[in-house]
Amino acid sequence: MAKIATDRTTIDLFAQEKRPGRPKTNPLPREEQLKLNKRNQIRRDRSKGLKRIEFKVSDELYTALSEEAGKADMTRSAYIEHILTQVLTR
């Protein structure tokens, strides 16, 4: 019987896996956890009506945005959304 990394319901297949240190709280490997968490985050954002936009900026612009967002007591993401809203409503 083949063993699949994401299948942790069959305990007898994993009885020999002894690992030192603190026991894992999540049976999935880290890579699978990250995929699942990202999928859940996207679902939460969609249910809130949010869309994802990604873009690359220079280090100077990134630093400036972070500083201005801090002064405005906002997250960088909220600050960028605020700027874009202002520009588009002109």
Side-chain angles (χ1 to χ4, degrees):
M1 178 174 179
K3 178 167 94 170
I4 300 173
T6 57
D7 176 27
R8 295 291 176 160
T9 57
T10 342
I11 304 294
D12 59 331
L13 290 176
F14 304 96
Q16 288 76 22
E17 288 187 23
K18 297 287 183 188
R19 297 182 184 191
R22 187 171 147 220
K24 289 168 56 172
T25 56
N26 194 325
L28 297 175
R30 185 70 180 144
E31 186 177 310
E32 294 294 325
Q33 287 179 42
L34 293 174
K35 285 180 184 178
L36 182 65
N37 289 342
K38 182 52 105 179
R39 195 175 310 130
N40 290 338
Q41 179 187 13
I42 291 171
R43 282 187 191 137
R44 280 193 310 272
D45 289 347
R46 280 189 188 148
S47 69
K48 293 177 185 176
L50 301 174
K51 299 287 183 183
R52 185 174 185 84
I53 299 175
E54 292 185 35
F55 55 96
K56 296 179 182 180
V57 296
S58 67
D59 193 36
E60 295 83 24
L61 180 57
Y62 179 86
T63 304
L65 285 169
S66 296
E67 289 173 2
E68 292 299 317
K71 289 178 189 174
D73 196 29
M74 302 171 83
T75 64
R76 190 174 45 253
S77 176
Y79 185 70
I80 292 170
E81 183 178 355
H82 174 71
I83 292 171
L84 291 173
T85 304
Q86 281 183 336
V87 169
L88 292 175
T89 55
R90 287 185 188 168

